[in-house]
Amino acid sequence: MSKTLFERIISREIPADIVFENEELLAFRDINPQAPVHVLLVPKRVVARVDEAQRSDRELLGNLLLAAAQVARQLGLAENGYRLVINNGADGGETVPHLHCHILGGRPLGWPPG
Ligand code: 5GP
């Protein structure tokens, strides 16, 4: 199988502005930011999307959310708030088939999204 775009970022084949890394996760700034702070947090092990996650992925999924909160704090978003988004499938707006959590903040975000 060919590598996903995010695997190429994880392996440093494609440069990115990395803001956080540990042994199972990487966070980097989105190339097309939708807010003053827009970071993508991705597992290094590929799970295509939430819909394909298995029970065996539950620790990874939990760690993803905990790390998202940690990265948001690190980037100064905790006080005013922020949004976490996981797009799933075509109608969900998922364009890269490698699970990722968007961390968006730095301005008030409307609800519902368009
Ligand atoms: P999705 O639409 O799949 O939820 O999110 C994919 C995100 O990846 C988009 O917000 C898009 O701007 C971002 N993206 C696409 N290509 C690149 C890239 O080469 N580098 C970075 N840093 N982000 C990218």
Side-chain angles (χ1 to χ4, degrees):
M1 275 249 305
S2 62
K3 284 188 187 175
T4 69
L5 171 66
F6 295 159
E7 283 180 287
R8 292 180 192 278
I9 289 176
I10 291 162
S11 67
R12 278 34 177 202
E13 277 172 61
I14 296 176
D17 184 355
I18 292 169
V19 297
F20 168 87
E21 181 168 24
N22 68 15
E23 63 188 21
E24 65 179 357
L25 300 165
L26 185 76
F28 51 90
R29 292 187 194 274
D30 197 292
I31 205 167
N32 183 23
Q34 302 301 310
V37 177
H38 186 174
V39 164
L40 302 172
L41 176 64
V42 309
K44 292 182 177 177
R45 173 166 68 78
V46 181
V47 174
R49 59 192 60 84
V50 166
D51 187 58
E52 294 200 5
Q54 306 292 314
R55 275 194 67 74
S56 56
D57 296 318
R58 63 192 185 281
E59 186 174 346
L60 178 65
L61 297 179
N63 290 343
L64 183 80
L65 280 185
L66 291 171
Q70 182 184 331
V71 171
R73 265 196 309 278
Q74 176 190 317
L75 296 175
L77 300 178
E79 188 177 342
N80 285 340
Y82 56 90
R83 182 170 295 163
L84 304 180
V85 173
I86 299 177
N87 295 327
N88 186 99
D91 279 4
E94 180 189 357
T95 59
V96 180
H98 181 151
L99 179 65
H100 50 284
C101 177
H102 296 257
I103 303 168
L104 295 143
R107 66 168 171 84
L109 298 162
W111 190 263

